[in-house]
């Protein structure tokens, strides 16, 4: 839900229409926490398989500390560019363009997410034919491959199902369709965006802190874009589900940035566990539990002080601090910071994708701020 109320009178009027019950609030936030854990857990497991893939189409690139340090600048340029677009052009047409863009990305992401599941569901007798999509440039010895994508009938079935969900989202903007796309984006992000080492992860997360402070608190750019931006870059769950069923319309939300950014770090630690060859997942489970603790602490503080909280303020120290303490106890700290893995980096879409994740977090914070303000006015 995009809250448009900015003055106390409007907030009080909104409160008169709806006040979340304790049961509805608990169900909404419990569901959001559960949905956030799914892409982190399964995305991390799939990232191990992805890192071992020998398919030429899955060959990764490496993101270095310099790339991570450069990201806040790239994201800032993307953010300011969108800000100028919303100022110059009609918001309706920009959001229409973004809807089509995320429709395409969402269909591909959901299809990729469903593919392993479909491979297990279909019987072995299913006529599964192989296809290849090949685009080349030039001819003879100078011929160069631009696109070489192999797929089968099962992948086509996944694509059809994903397209149906995409059309549903475009026409209805239903929260279930939004969540299906959001979960697919989050799982693919955790699976495919691999940090090459812990130091790079710390640089990236530290840069995002600076990015947040400047654009959210130093200017109105982030808030302006967040109020105008409509896309499935967040998970939502209705707080009035018990009263209105699937037609509920008052949502709690969690930005994908609060899932993917810690998730890619947790996935790195799982690959570190695998590299140790000790048949143990100590660092993965410690960081996974740290994420649950950090997210729970965010919700607790938000409702205690009736003020929106940036989730990364709690998630980053927890997800980094817990595994570091474990490494200190086990005497493996040096080895942890030395581990190297590959990263699948989508050079064209990474800045916009991670920017959208941070933007979703800002939207979440704005909504929670408005909700806490309405509850405060009601108590007064």
């Amino acid at each position: 839900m995009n809250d448009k109320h900015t003055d106390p009178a409007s907030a009080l009027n909104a409160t008169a229409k709806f006040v979340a019950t304790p049961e509805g609030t608990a169900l909404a936030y419990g569901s959001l926490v559960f949905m956030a854990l799914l892409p982190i857990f399964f995305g991390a497991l799939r990232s191990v398989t992805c890192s071992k893939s020998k398919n030429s189409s899955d060959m990764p690139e490496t993101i270095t500390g310099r790339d991570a340090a450069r990201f806040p600048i790239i994201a800032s340029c993307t953010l300011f560019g969108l800000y100028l677009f919303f100022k110059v052009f009609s918001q309706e047409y920009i959001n229409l363009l973004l809807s089509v863009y995320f429709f395409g990305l969402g269909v591909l992401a959901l299809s990729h997410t469903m593919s392993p599941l479909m491979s297990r569901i279909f019987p072995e007798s299913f006529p599964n034919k192989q296809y290849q999509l090949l685009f080349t440039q030039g001819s003879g010895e100078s011929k160069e491959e631009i696109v070489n994508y192999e797929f089968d009938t099962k992948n086509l079935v996944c694509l059809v199902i994903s397209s149906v969900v995409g059309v549903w989202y475009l026409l209805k903007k239903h929260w279930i369709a939004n969540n299906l796309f959001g979960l697919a984006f989050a799982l693919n992000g955790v699976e495919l965006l691999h940090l090459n080492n812990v130091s790079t992860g710390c640089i990236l997360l530290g840069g995002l802190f600076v990015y947040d402070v400047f654009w959210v608190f130093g200017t109105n750019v982030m808030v302006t874009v967040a109020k105008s931006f409509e896309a499935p870059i967040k998970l939502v769950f209705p707080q009035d589900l018990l009263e209105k069923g699937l037609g509920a319309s008052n949502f709690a939300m969690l930005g994908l940035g609060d899932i993917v950014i810690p998730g890619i770090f947790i996935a790195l630690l799982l690959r570190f566990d695998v590299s140790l060859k000790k048949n143990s997942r100590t660092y993965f489970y410690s960081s996974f539990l740290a994420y649950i603790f950090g997210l729970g602490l965010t919700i607790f503080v938000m409702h205690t002080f009736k003020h929106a909280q940036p989730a990364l303020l709690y998630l980053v120290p927890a997800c980094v601090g817990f595994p570091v303490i474990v490494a200190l106890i086990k005497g493996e700290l040096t080895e942890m910071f030395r581990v190297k893995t590959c990263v699948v980096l989508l050079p064209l879409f990474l800045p916009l994708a991670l920017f959208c994740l941070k933007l979703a977090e800002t939207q979440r914070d704005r909504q929670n701020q408005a909700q806490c303000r309405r509850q405060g006015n009601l108590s007064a």
Side-chain angles (χ1 to χ4, degrees), residues 270-303:
L270 175 59
R271 296 192 298 276
F272 173 59
D273 279 324
V274 173
S275 70
L276 292 177
K277 299 180 180 180
K278 293 182 179 180
N279 198 26
S280 171
R281 301 293 181 264
T282 304
Y283 295 103
F284 171 66
Y285 289 128
S286 63
S287 58
F288 192 74
L289 291 175
Y291 179 84
I292 298 174
F293 170 78
L295 196 56
L297 182 61
T298 303
I299 297 172
F300 173 78
V301 173
M302 182 181 66
H303 284 277

mmCIF file of all heavy atoms in Angstrom, residues 270-303:
data_model
loop_
_atom_site.group_PDB
_atom_site.id
_atom_site.type_symbol
_atom_site.label_atom_id
_atom_site.label_comp_id
_atom_site.label_asym_id
_atom_site.label_seq_id
_atom_site.Cartn_x
_atom_site.Cartn_y
_atom_site.Cartn_z
ATOM 1 N N LEU A 270 27.386 -19.859 3.367
ATOM 2 C CA LEU A 270 27.097 -21.270 3.085
ATOM 3 C C LEU A 270 28.155 -21.851 2.156
ATOM 4 O O LEU A 270 28.636 -22.980 2.365
ATOM 5 C CB LEU A 270 25.707 -21.417 2.465
ATOM 6 C CG LEU A 270 25.327 -22.832 2.018
ATOM 7 C CD1 LEU A 270 25.374 -23.810 3.190
ATOM 8 C CD2 LEU A 270 23.951 -22.844 1.363
ATOM 9 N N ARG A 271 28.549 -21.085 1.147
ATOM 10 C CA ARG A 271 29.596 -21.571 0.236
ATOM 11 C C ARG A 271 30.935 -21.686 0.971
ATOM 12 O O ARG A 271 31.760 -22.542 0.644
ATOM 13 C CB ARG A 271 29.705 -20.646 -0.979
ATOM 14 C CG ARG A 271 28.451 -20.633 -1.843
ATOM 15 C CD ARG A 271 28.688 -19.957 -3.184
ATOM 16 N NE ARG A 271 29.054 -18.552 -3.043
ATOM 17 C CZ ARG A 271 28.189 -17.554 -2.904
ATOM 18 N NH1 ARG A 271 26.885 -17.813 -2.854
ATOM 19 N NH2 ARG A 271 28.595 -16.310 -2.804
ATOM 20 N N PHE A 272 31.142 -20.816 1.974
ATOM 21 C CA PHE A 272 32.347 -20.936 2.800
ATOM 22 C C PHE A 272 32.301 -22.222 3.615
ATOM 23 O O PHE A 272 33.309 -22.936 3.729
ATOM 24 C CB PHE A 272 32.460 -19.721 3.718
ATOM 25 C CG PHE A 272 33.566 -19.819 4.723
ATOM 26 C CD1 PHE A 272 34.879 -19.978 4.320
ATOM 27 C CD2 PHE A 272 33.307 -19.757 6.080
ATOM 28 C CE1 PHE A 272 35.914 -20.066 5.247
ATOM 29 C CE2 PHE A 272 34.320 -19.845 7.019
ATOM 30 C CZ PHE A 272 35.634 -20.003 6.599
ATOM 31 N N ASP A 273 31.140 -22.551 4.170
ATOM 32 C CA ASP A 273 30.982 -23.816 4.893
ATOM 33 C C ASP A 273 31.314 -24.998 3.992
ATOM 34 O O ASP A 273 31.995 -25.943 4.401
ATOM 35 C CB ASP A 273 29.545 -23.951 5.409
ATOM 36 C CG ASP A 273 29.309 -23.183 6.699
ATOM 37 O OD1 ASP A 273 30.221 -23.131 7.527
ATOM 38 O OD2 ASP A 273 28.209 -22.624 6.864
ATOM 39 N N VAL A 274 30.807 -24.951 2.758
ATOM 40 C CA VAL A 274 31.057 -26.040 1.809
ATOM 41 C C VAL A 274 32.549 -26.138 1.497
ATOM 42 O O VAL A 274 33.111 -27.242 1.393
ATOM 43 C CB VAL A 274 30.241 -25.835 0.521
ATOM 44 C CG1 VAL A 274 30.620 -26.864 -0.537
ATOM 45 C CG2 VAL A 274 28.743 -25.909 0.815
ATOM 46 N N SER A 275 33.212 -24.993 1.359
ATOM 47 C CA SER A 275 34.645 -24.994 1.017
ATOM 48 C C SER A 275 35.503 -25.584 2.140
ATOM 49 O O SER A 275 36.606 -26.069 1.882
ATOM 50 C CB SER A 275 35.119 -23.575 0.695
ATOM 51 O OG SER A 275 35.144 -22.768 1.867
ATOM 52 N N LEU A 276 35.004 -25.528 3.382
ATOM 53 C CA LEU A 276 35.775 -26.090 4.492
ATOM 54 C C LEU A 276 35.788 -27.612 4.481
ATOM 55 O O LEU A 276 36.655 -28.233 5.108
ATOM 56 C CB LEU A 276 35.187 -25.599 5.834
ATOM 57 C CG LEU A 276 35.340 -24.101 6.133
ATOM 58 C CD1 LEU A 276 34.646 -23.759 7.441
ATOM 59 C CD2 LEU A 276 36.806 -23.696 6.182
ATOM 60 N N LYS A 277 34.802 -28.213 3.804
ATOM 61 C CA LYS A 277 34.704 -29.672 3.668
ATOM 62 C C LYS A 277 34.698 -30.377 5.024
ATOM 63 O O LYS A 277 35.337 -31.410 5.220
ATOM 64 C CB LYS A 277 35.863 -30.202 2.808
ATOM 65 C CG LYS A 277 35.866 -29.639 1.387
ATOM 66 C CD LYS A 277 37.021 -30.178 0.570
ATOM 67 C CE LYS A 277 37.000 -29.583 -0.848
ATOM 68 N NZ LYS A 277 38.127 -30.090 -1.669
ATOM 69 N N LYS A 278 33.955 -29.788 5.963
ATOM 70 C CA LYS A 278 33.856 -30.383 7.306
ATOM 71 C C LYS A 278 32.463 -30.955 7.560
ATOM 72 O O LYS A 278 32.136 -31.301 8.688
ATOM 73 C CB LYS A 278 34.183 -29.335 8.365
ATOM 74 C CG LYS A 278 35.627 -28.868 8.342
ATOM 75 C CD LYS A 278 35.898 -27.866 9.456
ATOM 76 C CE LYS A 278 37.359 -27.423 9.451
ATOM 77 N NZ LYS A 278 37.651 -26.440 10.536
ATOM 78 N N ASN A 279 31.655 -31.018 6.515
ATOM 79 C CA ASN A 279 30.290 -31.542 6.643
ATOM 80 C C ASN A 279 29.515 -30.797 7.728
ATOM 81 O O ASN A 279 28.758 -31.382 8.499
ATOM 82 C CB ASN A 279 30.305 -33.049 6.944
ATOM 83 C CG ASN A 279 28.959 -33.700 6.656
ATOM 84 O OD1 ASN A 279 28.182 -33.201 5.828
ATOM 85 N ND2 ASN A 279 28.658 -34.791 7.333
ATOM 86 N N SER A 280 29.753 -29.489 7.819
ATOM 87 C CA SER A 280 29.104 -28.643 8.825
ATOM 88 C C SER A 280 28.617 -27.364 8.145
ATOM 89 O O SER A 280 29.220 -26.898 7.176
ATOM 90 C CB SER A 280 30.085 -28.306 9.950
ATOM 91 O OG SER A 280 29.534 -27.338 10.809
ATOM 92 N N ARG A 281 27.538 -26.802 8.663
ATOM 93 C CA ARG A 281 26.973 -25.558 8.121
ATOM 94 C C ARG A 281 26.884 -24.523 9.231
ATOM 95 O O ARG A 281 25.903 -23.790 9.337
ATOM 96 C CB ARG A 281 25.597 -25.827 7.507
ATOM 97 C CG ARG A 281 25.595 -26.847 6.384
ATOM 98 C CD ARG A 281 26.338 -26.333 5.158
ATOM 99 N NE ARG A 281 26.315 -27.296 4.058
ATOM 100 C CZ ARG A 281 27.264 -28.160 3.799
ATOM 101 N NH1 ARG A 281 28.349 -28.206 4.583
ATOM 102 N NH2 ARG A 281 27.182 -28.993 2.780
ATOM 103 N N THR A 282 27.928 -24.439 10.045
ATOM 104 C CA THR A 282 27.913 -23.588 11.231
ATOM 105 C C THR A 282 27.699 -22.117 10.877
ATOM 106 O O THR A 282 26.854 -21.434 11.483
ATOM 107 C CB THR A 282 29.237 -23.732 12.001
ATOM 108 O OG1 THR A 282 29.454 -25.099 12.310
ATOM 109 C CG2 THR A 282 29.196 -22.904 13.277
ATOM 110 N N TYR A 283 28.431 -21.617 9.907
ATOM 111 C CA TYR A 283 28.354 -20.192 9.578
ATOM 112 C C TYR A 283 27.031 -19.851 8.890
ATOM 113 O O TYR A 283 26.470 -18.772 9.110
ATOM 114 C CB TYR A 283 29.543 -19.801 8.698
ATOM 115 C CG TYR A 283 30.854 -19.930 9.428
ATOM 116 C CD1 TYR A 283 31.715 -21.003 9.198
ATOM 117 C CD2 TYR A 283 31.235 -18.974 10.370
ATOM 118 C CE1 TYR A 283 32.912 -21.122 9.883
ATOM 119 C CE2 TYR A 283 32.431 -19.092 11.058
ATOM 120 C CZ TYR A 283 33.260 -20.163 10.809
ATOM 121 O OH TYR A 283 34.440 -20.289 11.505
ATOM 122 N N PHE A 284 26.540 -20.756 8.076
ATOM 123 C CA PHE A 284 25.255 -20.528 7.423
ATOM 124 C C PHE A 284 24.132 -20.449 8.445
ATOM 125 O O PHE A 284 23.326 -19.513 8.445
ATOM 126 C CB PHE A 284 24.979 -21.638 6.412
ATOM 127 C CG PHE A 284 23.585 -21.603 5.841
ATOM 128 C CD1 PHE A 284 23.178 -20.558 5.032
ATOM 129 C CD2 PHE A 284 22.685 -22.624 6.121
ATOM 130 C CE1 PHE A 284 21.896 -20.523 4.501
ATOM 131 C CE2 PHE A 284 21.404 -22.605 5.600
ATOM 132 C CZ PHE A 284 21.005 -21.550 4.784
ATOM 133 N N TYR A 285 24.069 -21.411 9.343
ATOM 134 C CA TYR A 285 22.990 -21.428 10.331
ATOM 135 C C TYR A 285 23.112 -20.274 11.316
ATOM 136 O O TYR A 285 22.097 -19.707 11.756
ATOM 137 C CB TYR A 285 22.964 -22.765 11.070
ATOM 138 C CG TYR A 285 22.499 -23.917 10.211
ATOM 139 C CD1 TYR A 285 23.244 -25.086 10.106
ATOM 140 C CD2 TYR A 285 21.307 -23.828 9.485
ATOM 141 C CE1 TYR A 285 22.813 -26.148 9.318
ATOM 142 C CE2 TYR A 285 20.878 -24.880 8.685
ATOM 143 C CZ TYR A 285 21.636 -26.032 8.603
ATOM 144 O OH TYR A 285 21.210 -27.074 7.811
ATOM 145 N N SER A 286 24.332 -19.901 11.679
ATOM 146 C CA SER A 286 24.492 -18.782 12.615
ATOM 147 C C SER A 286 24.035 -17.474 11.977
ATOM 148 O O SER A 286 23.371 -16.651 12.619
ATOM 149 C CB SER A 286 25.952 -18.662 13.067
ATOM 150 O OG SER A 286 26.809 -18.371 11.969
ATOM 151 N N SER A 287 24.368 -17.272 10.699
ATOM 152 C CA SER A 287 23.930 -16.045 10.018
ATOM 153 C C SER A 287 22.437 -16.084 9.728
ATOM 154 O O SER A 287 21.760 -15.044 9.763
ATOM 155 C CB SER A 287 24.721 -15.858 8.719
ATOM 156 O OG SER A 287 24.557 -16.973 7.855
ATOM 157 N N PHE A 288 21.900 -17.268 9.456
ATOM 158 C CA PHE A 288 20.465 -17.403 9.200
ATOM 159 C C PHE A 288 19.672 -17.069 10.468
ATOM 160 O O PHE A 288 18.672 -16.338 10.417
ATOM 161 C CB PHE A 288 20.156 -18.819 8.735
ATOM 162 C CG PHE A 288 18.772 -19.004 8.174
ATOM 163 C CD1 PHE A 288 18.445 -18.522 6.914
ATOM 164 C CD2 PHE A 288 17.792 -19.666 8.902
ATOM 165 C CE1 PHE A 288 17.172 -18.692 6.391
ATOM 166 C CE2 PHE A 288 16.518 -19.840 8.397
ATOM 167 C CZ PHE A 288 16.201 -19.352 7.128
ATOM 168 N N LEU A 289 20.128 -17.586 11.602
ATOM 169 C CA LEU A 289 19.483 -17.249 12.871
ATOM 170 C C LEU A 289 19.675 -15.777 13.209
ATOM 171 O O LEU A 289 18.775 -15.144 13.787
ATOM 172 C CB LEU A 289 20.051 -18.128 13.993
ATOM 173 C CG LEU A 289 19.693 -19.614 13.920
ATOM 174 C CD1 LEU A 289 20.428 -20.384 15.021
ATOM 175 C CD2 LEU A 289 18.185 -19.828 14.044
ATOM 176 N N ALA A 290 20.823 -15.221 12.837
ATOM 177 C CA ALA A 290 21.069 -13.796 13.064
ATOM 178 C C ALA A 290 20.090 -12.946 12.261
ATOM 179 O O ALA A 290 19.617 -11.900 12.735
ATOM 180 C CB ALA A 290 22.509 -13.445 12.691
ATOM 181 N N TYR A 291 19.778 -13.392 11.054
ATOM 182 C CA TYR A 291 18.806 -12.656 10.233
ATOM 183 C C TYR A 291 17.434 -12.664 10.901
ATOM 184 O O TYR A 291 16.751 -11.627 10.950
ATOM 185 C CB TYR A 291 18.720 -13.279 8.834
ATOM 186 C CG TYR A 291 17.718 -12.585 7.938
ATOM 187 C CD1 TYR A 291 18.082 -11.445 7.225
ATOM 188 C CD2 TYR A 291 16.414 -13.056 7.815
ATOM 189 C CE1 TYR A 291 17.162 -10.798 6.413
ATOM 190 C CE2 TYR A 291 15.495 -12.409 7.011
ATOM 191 C CZ TYR A 291 15.875 -11.281 6.309
ATOM 192 O OH TYR A 291 14.965 -10.628 5.512
ATOM 193 N N ILE A 292 17.012 -13.829 11.400
ATOM 194 C CA ILE A 292 15.721 -13.919 12.087
ATOM 195 C C ILE A 292 15.715 -12.989 13.303
ATOM 196 O O ILE A 292 14.738 -12.254 13.544
ATOM 197 C CB ILE A 292 15.437 -15.366 12.518
ATOM 198 C CG1 ILE A 292 15.344 -16.274 11.289
ATOM 199 C CG2 ILE A 292 14.149 -15.447 13.334
ATOM 200 C CD1 ILE A 292 15.202 -17.750 11.634
ATOM 201 N N PHE A 293 16.812 -12.989 14.056
ATOM 202 C CA PHE A 293 16.921 -12.116 15.224
ATOM 203 C C PHE A 293 16.851 -10.650 14.817
ATOM 204 O O PHE A 293 16.131 -9.847 15.434
ATOM 205 C CB PHE A 293 18.232 -12.406 15.962
ATOM 206 C CG PHE A 293 18.554 -11.414 17.044
ATOM 207 C CD1 PHE A 293 17.920 -11.483 18.273
ATOM 208 C CD2 PHE A 293 19.491 -10.410 16.814
ATOM 209 C CE1 PHE A 293 18.212 -10.554 19.271
ATOM 210 C CE2 PHE A 293 19.786 -9.487 17.804
ATOM 211 C CZ PHE A 293 19.148 -9.557 19.028
ATOM 212 N N GLY A 294 17.596 -10.263 13.787
ATOM 213 C CA GLY A 294 17.622 -8.864 13.350
ATOM 214 C C GLY A 294 16.277 -8.383 12.845
ATOM 215 O O GLY A 294 15.848 -7.260 13.153
ATOM 216 N N LEU A 295 15.604 -9.221 12.063
ATOM 217 C CA LEU A 295 14.302 -8.831 11.537
ATOM 218 C C LEU A 295 13.264 -8.749 12.655
ATOM 219 O O LEU A 295 12.428 -7.834 12.685
ATOM 220 C CB LEU A 295 13.857 -9.830 10.459
ATOM 221 C CG LEU A 295 12.711 -9.392 9.544
ATOM 222 C CD1 LEU A 295 13.026 -8.076 8.850
ATOM 223 C CD2 LEU A 295 12.424 -10.474 8.507
ATOM 224 N N GLY A 296 13.322 -9.707 13.571
ATOM 225 C CA GLY A 296 12.412 -9.655 14.718
ATOM 226 C C GLY A 296 12.660 -8.431 15.585
ATOM 227 O O GLY A 296 11.711 -7.792 16.072
ATOM 228 N N LEU A 297 13.936 -8.071 15.774
ATOM 229 C CA LEU A 297 14.275 -6.894 16.555
ATOM 230 C C LEU A 297 13.767 -5.621 15.880
ATOM 231 O O LEU A 297 13.295 -4.687 16.548
ATOM 232 C CB LEU A 297 15.787 -6.824 16.753
ATOM 233 C CG LEU A 297 16.319 -5.668 17.609
ATOM 234 C CD1 LEU A 297 15.754 -5.754 19.024
ATOM 235 C CD2 LEU A 297 17.843 -5.683 17.639
ATOM 236 N N THR A 298 13.846 -5.581 14.550
ATOM 237 C CA THR A 298 13.335 -4.427 13.809
ATOM 238 C C THR A 298 11.852 -4.228 14.073
ATOM 239 O O THR A 298 11.394 -3.108 14.354
ATOM 240 C CB THR A 298 13.563 -4.632 12.300
ATOM 241 O OG1 THR A 298 14.950 -4.855 12.046
ATOM 242 C CG2 THR A 298 13.103 -3.410 11.520
ATOM 243 N N ILE A 299 11.083 -5.298 13.981
ATOM 244 C CA ILE A 299 9.636 -5.220 14.199
ATOM 245 C C ILE A 299 9.333 -4.822 15.643
ATOM 246 O O ILE A 299 8.451 -3.992 15.910
ATOM 247 C CB ILE A 299 8.970 -6.563 13.844
ATOM 248 C CG1 ILE A 299 9.159 -6.860 12.352
ATOM 249 C CG2 ILE A 299 7.495 -6.555 14.202
ATOM 250 C CD1 ILE A 299 8.704 -8.247 11.941
ATOM 251 N N PHE A 300 10.082 -5.398 16.601
ATOM 252 C CA PHE A 300 9.861 -5.087 18.013
ATOM 253 C C PHE A 300 10.118 -3.606 18.301
ATOM 254 O O PHE A 300 9.298 -2.933 18.950
ATOM 255 C CB PHE A 300 10.764 -5.961 18.870
ATOM 256 C CG PHE A 300 10.749 -5.607 20.330
ATOM 257 C CD1 PHE A 300 9.693 -5.999 21.135
ATOM 258 C CD2 PHE A 300 11.794 -4.877 20.889
ATOM 259 C CE1 PHE A 300 9.669 -5.663 22.482
ATOM 260 C CE2 PHE A 300 11.779 -4.540 22.231
ATOM 261 C CZ PHE A 300 10.709 -4.925 23.031
ATOM 262 N N VAL A 301 11.242 -3.079 17.831
ATOM 263 C CA VAL A 301 11.585 -1.679 18.080
ATOM 264 C C VAL A 301 10.575 -0.760 17.409
ATOM 265 O O VAL A 301 10.167 0.266 17.983
ATOM 266 C CB VAL A 301 13.014 -1.381 17.590
ATOM 267 C CG1 VAL A 301 13.317 0.110 17.684
ATOM 268 C CG2 VAL A 301 14.032 -2.178 18.396
ATOM 269 N N MET A 302 10.150 -1.112 16.197
ATOM 270 C CA MET A 302 9.204 -0.281 15.470
ATOM 271 C C MET A 302 7.888 -0.131 16.224
ATOM 272 O O MET A 302 7.337 0.965 16.330
ATOM 273 C CB MET A 302 8.937 -0.882 14.079
ATOM 274 C CG MET A 302 7.987 -0.062 13.227
ATOM 275 S SD MET A 302 7.694 -0.830 11.631
ATOM 276 C CE MET A 302 6.831 -2.325 12.127
ATOM 277 N N HIS A 303 7.403 -1.238 16.767
ATOM 278 C CA HIS A 303 6.121 -1.179 17.468
ATOM 279 C C HIS A 303 6.267 -0.676 18.905
ATOM 280 O O HIS A 303 5.301 -0.151 19.464
ATOM 281 C CB HIS A 303 5.457 -2.559 17.447
ATOM 282 C CG HIS A 303 4.845 -2.893 16.134
ATOM 283 N ND1 HIS A 303 3.586 -2.466 15.761
ATOM 284 C CD2 HIS A 303 5.320 -3.578 15.067
ATOM 285 C CE1 HIS A 303 3.312 -2.890 14.555
ATOM 286 N NE2 HIS A 303 4.348 -3.575 14.102
#
